[in-house]
Amino acid sequence: MSRRIALVLGGGGLKGFAHIGVLRALEELKIVPDLFAGTSIGAMVAGSYLCGMTSEKLAASAMAMRRRDLFRVNHFGMLLDRMRSPSIYLEEPLRELVNNGIPEGPFKSLPKRLLVNTVDVDRGSRVVWGLPGLEDASVRDAVYASCALPGFFPPGHVLDRTCIDGGVVDNLPVSITSRFADIIIAVDVGSSDATQETRADTQGFATLYMRAATMMFHALQQSPLERWHGPPMVLIRPKLDDSNWLSFTNTEENIEEGYRSAKRALERFDSYWDNPGCVFPRRRVAISVDEEKCISCGICVTLAPAVMGLDSRGKAYARTHIVEWSPADGGFVHECPTLAITAKNVDRRASSMNEEAQRDPTPSGAGAG
């Protein structure tokens, strides 16, 4: 019996162009998914790819896009309907973008299973189109709805339901996908634990909204990932600029970062099979606490009691100096209000030292003669 590979692509606005780089890496590594799943732009990329667009064609299309091709303000609706207007932007450009990559037809007509994550806004429940019993819907309609970020684009109508972006409840639908897979490759472009250099309140309401969404997506995803009990998962988290959710300026860089991060994460892909409950890749991390910065608030202990503790003075300390983490671990580090905790990748440092040694085989401090 063949083992099934699932590719899950998360939402993240235009940062999601990084998914295209991931697809290119999979093609080079000859890793062929048997199942695709996605939310928002992840659903659009997965659906377009499954319907015949190569990573090369997707990249060319992404880099040719301009802001006016997607974001056209709904002036008329906002003027007449004001607060009752369904969205800031018009529906038609997003519809056209979806239609250009995905032909008309139901889920059951696709060559492989595609799961598209949405939320039924009337019933307040998640609907994953493409699941058994939900395969008669139009793929186009479901993908549009999955991309319909509330307030930015009008909701979509899929069969008899009014649906919006599935990231509202699950931006990376790995749990539902695990039913159909023996291993999962999950690409998270929506969450981030990076501190931004610019103040959000100086960048306008759209940036403020998207930064809030980033934090929401991250919080929603962390719990199931940290307590993962499904098939082995390769979690790819490209390092992307969170200020570019709605910007086309970094399209090529995002694609390349998706490619680089996927190649790194999938280096030992063949060794990940038959490890249920594990998230890969794993790396050794050294945890340290700056006592002068520590204010004894105890947040780190509350969030990670197995890793962190408080000494008799109330200062935080790492119970184990070196830990083995997956990309899903270590979220508590960013939660420290004074940034007193640091986590350094020991394996990366060792790798850099080995590379340096290969370039200069003379040991440090060794005599020349």
Side-chain angles (χ1 to χ4, degrees):
M1 181 178 178
S2 61
R3 297 192 287 188
R4 303 162 299 174
I5 302 172
L7 178 63
V8 182
L9 305 181
L14 299 180
K15 295 189 301 175
F17 286 141
H19 292 317
I20 301 171
V22 173
L23 291 172
R24 175 156 62 94
L26 292 175
E27 291 172 353
E28 289 186 6
L29 295 168
K30 298 186 180 349
I31 298 174
V32 182
D34 302 286
L35 163 73
F36 295 79
T39 297
S40 195
I41 193 170
M44 183 186 296
V45 172
S48 299
Y49 191 74
L50 187 53
C51 288
M53 290 191 72
T54 64
S55 63
E56 185 177 0
K57 289 181 179 178
L58 284 167
S61 176
M63 287 190 283
M65 286 182 63
R66 297 295 179 264
R67 186 173 181 83
R68 64 180 178 276
D69 297 326
L70 181 59
F71 301 115
R72 297 181 200 163
V73 176
N74 183 15
H75 292 289
F76 190 72
M78 294 177 69
L79 178 64
L80 293 184
D81 297 331
R82 299 189 181 184
M83 292 300 293
R84 294 182 63 85
S85 176
S87 64
I88 298 171
Y89 298 112
L90 293 171
E91 175 179 333
E92 288 75 18
L94 178 56
R95 278 281 182 188
E96 184 176 352
L97 184 61
V98 171
N99 293 350
N100 286 341
I102 300 173
E104 184 54 73
F107 282 83
K108 61 185 179 184
S109 68
L110 296 174
K112 296 179 179 179
R113 188 179 295 278
L114 171 67
L115 303 179
V116 174
N117 191 34
T118 69
V119 170
D120 183 325
V121 72
D122 294 323
R123 304 182 189 183
S125 61
R126 178 166 59 161
V127 184
V128 182
W129 303 99
L131 286 174
L134 294 170
E135 298 173 292
D136 291 327
S138 162
V139 179
R140 281 181 171 180
D141 289 346
V143 170
Y144 170 84
S146 188
C147 293
L149 188 66
F152 282 75
F153 293 100
H157 298 283
V158 190
L159 297 181
D160 62 339
R161 296 173 180 262
T162 302
C163 296
I164 58 173
D165 190 337
V168 170
V169 297
D170 187 359
N171 200 45
L172 193 68
V174 289
S175 296
I176 193 70
T177 306
S178 66
R179 290 178 46 197
F180 307 94
D182 298 298
I183 193 168
I184 294 174
I185 301 171
V187 188
D188 175 17
V189 296
S191 67
S192 173
D193 58 6
T195 301
Q196 300 298 310
E197 295 180 359
T198 56
R199 286 176 54 116
D201 59 359
T202 66
Q203 303 299 307
F205 82 91
T207 297
L208 187 61
Y209 179 95
M210 298 316 299
R211 287 198 186 173
T214 295
M215 291 182 279
M216 178 185 72
F217 293 156
H218 186 73
L220 287 171
Q221 288 171 197
Q222 276 306 102
S223 180
L225 290 176
E226 290 175 354
R227 297 166 176 79
W228 182 247
H229 297 296
M233 181 196 307
V234 183
L235 180 59
I236 302 171
R237 275 183 168 160
K239 294 186 180 299
L240 305 168
D241 185 352
D242 279 338
S243 66
N244 288 309
W245 269 79
L246 306 177
S247 171
F248 291 94
T249 57
N250 286 17
T251 297
E252 186 171 6
E253 291 86 346
N254 288 345
I255 293 173
E256 287 304 312
E257 173 56 21
Y259 172 78
R260 286 191 296 267
S261 60
K263 291 282 280 191
R264 287 194 300 267
L266 295 167
E267 282 178 342
R268 301 180 59 200
F269 179 71
D270 289 339
S271 68
Y272 297 155
W273 295 90
D274 303 320
N275 289 284
C278 289
V279 180
F280 297 98
R282 315 288 296 181
R283 81 275 194 206
R284 292 182 306 139
V285 175
I287 306 173
S288 60
V289 179
D290 185 330
E291 290 191 356
E292 293 185 3
K293 289 184 178 180
C294 179
I295 57 175
S296 305
C297 66
I299 289 177
C300 59
V301 179
T302 301
L303 296 177
V307 180
M308 303 299 295
L310 295 177
D311 63 18
S312 59
R313 301 166 299 158
K315 295 290 185 177
Y317 69 94
R319 296 184 184 277
T320 305
H321 180 57
I322 303 291
V323 295
E324 186 180 82
W325 277 352
S326 79
D329 297 314
F332 70 89
V333 174
H334 179 65
E335 298 293 335
C336 176
T338 59
L339 303 180
I341 306 172
T342 58
K344 293 184 178 180
N345 189 335
V346 176
D347 292 334
R348 181 179 300 167
R349 184 169 57 192
S351 176
S352 299
M353 292 174 63
N354 289 336
E355 290 175 3
E356 183 64 30
Q358 290 173 7
R359 289 193 295 268
D360 180 8
T362 304
S364 176

